[in-house]
Amino acid sequence: MSETGYRVLAICVVVALLAIFVVSFLLFVKTPAPKGCEKSPSDACSSCHNKRCEFYLYEPKGSLKESQEKEEKKENKEN
């Protein structure tokens, strides 16, 4: 096989992998959450102390957490 053939083959493999990634991502986004998993992670995180949990990493901490709690209280009072 010539050098051009290998380049075309390499480009085809990369394009195929990208297509698989895009299709799988679109299917992932369109898939609805299973029953019982509709809650947002922050609802469950308030009682969970697992520091290795993937949601714990994104849980607001310190002053950011306090400011978000204040905003939520204001929204609840308005409703």
Side-chain angles (χ1 to χ4, degrees):
M1 191 179 238
S2 66
E3 186 177 331
T4 307
Y6 285 119
R7 287 183 182 173
V8 170
L9 181 63
I11 291 171
C12 290
V13 168
V14 169
V15 169
L17 290 174
L18 287 173
I20 290 170
F21 171 76
V22 169
V23 169
S24 64
F25 182 76
L26 291 175
L27 290 174
F28 170 74
V29 170
K30 291 183 178 183
T31 303
K35 290 181 181 179
C37 295
E38 293 89 8
K39 286 184 166 182
S40 66
S42 61
D43 295 340
C45 289
S46 60
S47 62
C48 177
H49 301 289
N50 183 2
K51 302 224 185 285
R52 294 184 180 199
C53 177
E54 64 184 63
F55 298 121
Y56 183 81
L57 297 173
Y58 303 107
E59 188 70 18
K61 310 216 178 11
S63 60
L64 178 63
K65 184 176 183 176
E66 292 170 1
S67 64
Q68 285 182 351
E69 288 174 352
K70 288 178 184 177
E71 289 176 12
E72 288 177 1
K73 288 179 183 178
K74 286 180 184 177
E75 290 175 3
N76 289 338
K77 287 180 182 178
E78 292 174 358
N79 293 333

